Amino acid sequence: MKTIQLRRYTLVEGEYDAFLAWWSEWMPRVRPEAGFTIEFAYGLREANQFVWAVSAPGDAEAFAELEAAYVASDARAEAFDGVPQRIAIYDIALVDDLAA
C-alpha cells in the first residue's frame, strides 16, 4: 500500500523558468532522501502551472508523519534557504490511485 499526494501549483507570474530550475535541482534529491517517491512532474507553461505527485509507503497517517519529518528537516530548510516565493496558489491533496 502507498499513499499519493497530488501537488498543483499556480506560479507567480514570471517565475516559471526559475521555479522549474530550482525544483529540478532540489526535489529529485531531497524528497527521495526523505522517503518519498516522485510519481511524476509536469509543467504547463501556458497556464503558468506545475503539477506533480509524491508517494510514500503506508496509509495517510504514515504519509502525514513522513511529511512532518520532511518539513522539519535540515535538507528541506537548505533547499528553501533564500528562495523567493514562486508559488501563488497551492492545491495539495491525497488522491486515490485508480490505475493500481
Side-chain angles (χ1 to χ4, degrees), residues 70-85:
Y70 164 71
V71 168
S73 72
D74 291 341
R76 184 184 184 279
E78 181 184 359
F80 282 86
D81 185 41
V83 176
Q85 181 61 34

Side-chain angles (χ1 to χ4, degrees), residues 29-44:
R29 182 167 26 120
V30 298
R31 281 293 187 151
E33 287 175 0
F36 296 94
T37 298
I38 297 174
E39 297 287 330
F40 63 81
Y42 296 105
L44 295 87

Side-chain angles (χ1 to χ4, degrees), residues 1-5 39 54-63 94-95:
M1 170 184 208
K2 70 179 175 180
T3 298
I4 301 171
Q5 182 186 67
E39 297 287 330
V54 293
S55 67
D59 62 11
E61 184 176 324
F63 187 97
L94 298 181
V95 296

Side-chain angles (χ1 to χ4, degrees), residues 2-69:
K2 70 179 175 180
T3 298
I4 301 171
Q5 182 186 67
L6 180 65
R7 305 178 65 86
R8 295 179 290 187
Y9 305 153
T10 300
L11 303 176
V12 171
E13 193 65 37
E15 293 292 330
Y16 183 87
D17 290 325
F19 175 83
L20 263 58
W22 170 84
W23 189 95
S24 296
E25 177 183 352
W26 287 98
M27 291 302 106
R29 182 167 26 120
V30 298
R31 281 293 187 151
E33 287 175 0
F36 296 94
T37 298
I38 297 174
E39 297 287 330
F40 63 81
Y42 296 105
L44 295 87
R45 182 176 296 278
E46 290 182 13
N48 200 35
Q49 295 179 338
F50 185 76
V51 180
W52 64 303
V54 293
S55 67
D59 62 11
E61 184 176 324
F63 187 97
E65 290 172 9
L66 195 62
E67 182 83 351

